[in-house]
Amino acid sequence: MWRNLNLRAQILIGYGVVLALAGGLALFLVLQVGDLNRRIATINASVAADAEAGMLVAARAADVQQAVNFYLQHPRAESRDAADASFAALDADIAQLSAGASGESQRARLAGVMDQLSIYRLTFLSLSALMDSRAKLSERLNMQLFEASSLAGGEISGEFLVRRGGLNAVSELTEAQQRLQLTNLLMSRALAEHDSERAAKALDQITAAQERLLRNSQRPAPSTGLLEAVDEATSAVVTVRQLADNIAHVRQTRDEQLKPQAQALKRSADAVAAGALGALTDATADLQRQAQGAQQLAGLAMMATGVVALLAGLRLARGVLRPVVDLARAVERVNGGDYDAAVAHGGGGEIGRLAAAFNQMTATLRRQRGEVRAQQEALAEHNRGLAQALDDLRAATDAREQLATAVQAMSVPVVPILRGVIVVPLVGEIDAERAQVLLRRLLAGVTDEQARIVILDITGVPFVDAALAGWLLQAAAAAELLGARCVLVGISPEVAQALVMSGADLGRLTTYADLRQGVEHAMRAMRSRAQANV
């Protein structure tokens, strides 16, 4: 079946196979790239969600720490509520993110953040309790210092100065009042800055104020206001000690517990984002491995495609070249004089038609050679005396046998049969290009052989049309310019009818039905020419 296909169909089928393989390879690559794109989109969505969760948790953790620090600096109810709200927001976000986490590792990291948040919150609650206690102590201290300072100021009056007449007592009371005020100032700064050193200085100041009030109260007949001032100062000393302990405890809790726990909370919150980055790194490595596998598969597919395309090309080339090689060998045999050469190639298509045409051509050549030999024998029978003419005719026959060698190369044999007489047999179809070659060979034969008569044998021409008739007239006109006259032989009834139908003016051509009559005409013309010269 393959041999019955024409060459175009074989080439198209070969190209179709190669294109199908290339299309399959392209489809495979498209599917691989699509799978990689889907995986990348999934990873992007997962990593984006994890990264967003990490940033949200880190931001919420920072908000919590900022709210806690603000409360420690400004221990008010609204700052405490803001801190509680930030704890609640982070707690809710972690619960929501844990429900939508992309993996167990991410849930574990969020659980770690939750644990650190719980520890941090407990420490904050303890600090909050201390801060609440501090607020009460601070309020009590302010009242005690105010009462003691007011009572001490009441004792500093003209009446006391007249009764006692002691400027030294007034100086001590004034100094005690100043130390009470300084205690209030130092304690306010110590509470605001959690400064134990200022708290210790405040304790020193309140103790010194207590001593001065106590010395004045030990004088004879102390006033009730002075004794109350001493009591208030003594209570203030106790309160200052309690506040100093509170400040130390708050500072210790903040430095030793709250700050490390805040750092641990920040690290656990950062671990959520770091986990997203790690997941991205792992996913990228997995994608790289998959891409390498796809590249290897694509390489193998390309190699397989190349091998199949090569095999298809070799098969196609063999199917085309083998009959051509057989035909070339047959042509060489024909060139060697073996007119029995034939090409055994079955099937249809261009190669099959070419083989059939070659076999037909060799059969035609064999038939023409037989006809030439028959014509030679007929000439020998009719005129035994023309030995030289017969010898020339045998030479022409040999030349005619060599015609088969030149047919494939589209050459034109010029056969001299008598001195001044040449035969030009035309075989096969005559197109414009071949007509030009024939004309050049004809004129070259006229010149080389100094021919006066040219016999154009169109017995082997299968079809005569107006173009061929025009070429015959051109050949006759060109030969006449070189001093030769053309004789057209091989006119069958069909050819005669075709020439008449073409409308060509063949008046300048002498025509005969076969080559024998043309040769006889040439012999008569040459004898007449010879007699005329004598």
Side-chain angles (χ1 to χ4, degrees):
M1 181 178 180
W2 175 260
R3 296 178 63 184
N4 292 330
L5 297 175
N6 57 36
L7 185 59
R8 177 181 297 177
Q10 294 180 9
I11 293 175
L12 289 177
I13 292 174
Y15 275 117
V17 172
V18 174
L19 289 177
L21 292 174
L25 177 60
L27 179 61
F28 170 76
L29 293 177
V30 168
L31 293 177
Q32 288 293 321
V33 171
D35 183 55
L36 286 176
N37 289 333
R38 286 190 295 271
R39 290 178 60 86
I40 290 172
T42 303
I43 291 171
N44 286 337
S46 176
V47 171
D50 292 344
E52 184 178 359
M55 290 187 293
L56 179 60
V57 170
R60 291 294 191 189
D63 292 340
V64 169
Q65 295 176 13
Q66 184 177 4
V68 170
N69 292 331
F70 185 79
Y71 172 72
L72 294 177
Q73 294 174 1
H74 306 281
R76 294 191 293 269
E78 56 271 17
S79 58
R80 167 67 183 272
D81 294 339
D84 290 338
S86 63
F87 274 109
L90 180 56
D91 196 357
D93 289 337
I94 292 175
Q96 183 179 1
L97 293 174
S98 297
S102 60
E104 293 298 330
S105 59
Q106 186 73 349
R107 292 190 182 91
R109 286 188 288 269
L110 291 171
V113 177
M114 180 69 79
D115 295 339
Q116 291 296 330
L117 180 63
S118 299
I119 296 172
Y120 187 67
R121 191 169 190 174
L122 289 175
T123 304
F124 170 74
L125 291 176
S126 64
L127 280 175
S128 177
L130 290 173
M131 297 299 291
D132 292 341
S133 176
R134 174 190 294 185
K136 296 178 181 179
L137 291 173
S138 177
E139 184 178 357
R140 183 192 305 171
L141 178 62
N142 290 333
M143 293 297 296
Q144 292 169 350
L145 292 175
F146 176 76
E147 290 294 336
S149 179
S150 298
L151 291 172
E155 293 296 323
I156 304 171
S157 63
E159 182 181 355
F160 178 80
L161 184 58
V162 172
R163 186 175 68 248
R164 296 292 183 179
L167 294 176
N168 188 28
V170 174
S171 176
E172 286 186 351
L173 290 175
T174 302
E175 184 178 353
Q177 188 180 28
Q178 292 175 351
R179 287 182 181 274
L180 289 172
Q181 294 175 355
L182 183 58
T183 298
N184 190 17
L185 178 62
L186 289 173
M187 207 63 211
S188 297
R189 296 287 300 275
L191 292 173
E193 300 177 5
H194 306 285
D195 191 349
S196 298
E197 293 181 359
R198 283 196 173 90
K201 291 179 180 180
L203 182 60
D204 293 339
Q205 294 296 327
I206 191 61
T207 303
Q210 180 193 23
E211 291 175 354
R212 283 161 178 72
L213 291 173
L214 188 58
R215 280 199 299 269
N216 278 280
S217 67
Q218 292 175 355
R219 296 180 187 276
S223 65
T224 302
L226 182 59
L227 294 175
E228 291 178 356
V230 171
D231 292 338
E232 293 293 340
T234 302
S235 299
V237 170
V238 176
T239 304
V240 168
R241 285 195 180 97
Q242 292 176 349
L243 284 172
D245 293 340
N246 183 284
I247 290 173
H249 194 189
V250 168
R251 187 179 185 88
Q252 181 181 7
T253 303
R254 184 190 65 182
D255 295 340
E256 296 180 3
Q257 296 182 24
L258 190 65
K259 286 185 178 180
Q261 291 168 7
Q263 293 176 357
L265 178 61
K266 183 179 182 301
R267 286 194 298 270
S268 61
D270 293 339
V272 177
L277 181 60
L280 176 61
T281 302
D282 296 339
T284 302
D286 185 40
L287 285 176
Q288 288 178 349
R289 289 191 295 270
Q290 186 176 0
Q292 290 176 356
Q295 289 177 354
Q296 293 176 357
L297 290 176
L300 293 176
M302 292 178 66
M303 292 178 60
T305 301
V307 170
V308 174
L310 179 61
L311 294 177
L314 292 176
R315 176 67 180 85
L316 181 61
R318 181 180 179 184
V320 174
L321 292 178
R322 184 173 180 179
V324 173
V325 171
D326 294 342
L327 185 60
R329 290 175 180 174
V331 171
E332 292 177 355
R333 290 176 60 189
V334 172
N335 289 335
D338 184 6
Y339 292 96
D340 294 329
V343 178
H345 184 270
E350 291 84 352
I351 302 299
R353 292 197 297 272
L354 181 60
F358 178 82
N359 293 334
Q360 182 180 3
M361 180 191 70
T362 54
T364 302
L365 289 176
R366 288 193 301 270
R367 185 179 68 255
Q368 289 180 351
R369 186 177 62 174
E371 292 177 354
V372 170
R373 288 177 177 175
Q375 292 174 357
Q376 290 175 347
E377 291 176 359
L379 289 174
E381 290 292 336
H382 287 81
N383 193 357
R384 297 287 183 180
L386 299 176
Q388 184 65 36
L390 291 175
D391 291 338
D392 293 339
L393 188 57
R394 291 190 186 94
T397 302
D398 293 337
R400 190 170 183 82
E401 290 178 354
Q402 294 177 358
L403 174 63
T405 304
V407 167
Q408 185 64 26
M410 299 178 62
S411 61
V412 178
V414 177
V415 182
I417 58 173
L418 296 172
R419 186 179 303 278
V421 179
I422 61 176
V423 176
V424 181
L426 303 181
V427 180
E429 296 181 357
I430 309 298
D431 55 11
E433 183 178 357
R434 191 179 177 197
Q436 294 298 324
V437 176
L438 294 175
L439 182 60
R440 288 196 297 269
R441 292 283 296 149
L442 172 64
L443 298 179
V446 171
T447 303
D448 294 341
E449 300 296 332
Q450 296 182 355
R452 292 295 176 265
I453 297 176
V454 177
I455 301 175
L456 296 175
D457 185 2
I458 62 173
T459 304
V461 177
F463 179 74
V464 176
D465 55 4
L468 178 59
W471 176 82
L472 292 175
L473 293 175
Q474 292 179 5
E480 287 180 1
L481 292 176
L482 295 179
R485 182 171 179 80
C486 290
V487 178
L488 185 64
V489 301
I491 304 298
S492 64
E494 292 81 6
V495 171
Q497 184 178 3
L499 289 175
V500 172
M501 294 296 294
S502 66
D505 185 9
L506 302 178
R508 63 175 65 187
L509 290 176
T510 302
T511 59
Y512 288 97
D514 54 23
L515 181 61
R516 180 179 60 80
Q517 296 177 0
V519 171
E520 291 175 351
H521 170 79
M523 293 175 63
R524 289 193 300 271
M526 293 305 296
R527 282 197 300 269
S528 300
R529 185 181 181 87
Q531 292 174 0
N533 290 332
V534 172

